[in-house]
Amino acid sequence: QVQLIESGGGLVQAGGSLRLSCTASGRPFRTYGMGWFRQAPGKEREFVASIGWSGISTLYTDSVKGRFTISRGYAENTVYLQMNGLKPEDTAVYYCAVALINAAPPPQRSAYDYWGQGTQVTVSS
């Protein structure tokens, strides 16, 4: 079992920045990959980014490349999502997730085994 707690969401103006955090517990942090997803009202939950256990391999959806950065803090057992240049279309509930594989997990939701409760990000225009 892995427990996940997200934080760092909030309200920000377009062009601003936020950093989301997801702290994991229950299983050694270096034994799984992690990802971020988001879900806007009335839309499907979509992949944002993922990172392997070593922190070297990463994946991003095209719409956030160059603006978002995923990273891992091993001392804190935490995965981060640094979001810069935020746009109104980034508004969503953001979820972190764990996949019990070593590499950066793929974009498919079915690849993930554990999910957090989500944190709201709202970008005003």
Side-chain angles (χ1 to χ4, degrees), residues 48-87:
V48 176
S50 66
I51 188 167
W53 73 269
S54 68
I56 296 174
S57 61
T58 58
L59 293 173
Y60 294 91
T61 192
D62 286 346
S63 63
V64 308
K65 285 180 181 177
R67 299 189 298 125
F68 291 11
T69 303
I70 189 170
S71 62
R72 297 181 76 130
Y74 294 94
E76 305 87 10
N77 283 1
T78 299
V79 65
Y80 301 99
L81 186 68
Q82 178 66 44
M83 305 186 295
N84 299 328
L86 283 161
K87 305 175 181 180

Side-chain angles (χ1 to χ4, degrees), residues 2-122:
V2 179
Q3 293 78 41
L4 302 169
I5 300 177
E6 300 105 331
S7 61
L11 173 65
V12 64
Q13 290 187 332
S17 298
L18 283 174
R19 188 177 78 159
L20 304 183
S21 301
C22 176
T23 300
S25 62
R27 187 182 178 104
F29 191 61
R30 293 178 182 267
T31 61
Y32 47 81
M34 299 187 73
W36 285 96
F37 286 72
R38 63 187 180 187
Q39 187 167 16
K43 294 189 176 182
E44 294 285 319
R45 191 172 299 188
E46 65 172 1
F47 173 80
V48 176
S50 66
I51 188 167
W53 73 269
S54 68
I56 296 174
S57 61
T58 58
L59 293 173
Y60 294 91
T61 192
D62 286 346
S63 63
V64 308
K65 285 180 181 177
R67 299 189 298 125
F68 291 11
T69 303
I70 189 170
S71 62
R72 297 181 76 130
Y74 294 94
E76 305 87 10
N77 283 1
T78 299
V79 65
Y80 301 99
L81 186 68
Q82 178 66 44
M83 305 186 295
N84 299 328
L86 283 161
K87 305 175 181 180
E89 51 265 42
D90 295 318
T91 294
V93 177
Y94 283 69
Y95 299 88
C96 71
V98 161
L100 298 179
I101 62 174
N102 292 334
Q108 293 77 19
R109 289 173 57 184
S110 59
Y112 294 79
D113 302 281
Y114 302 99
W115 293 83
Q117 294 300 306
T119 185
Q120 176 71 47
V121 172
T122 304

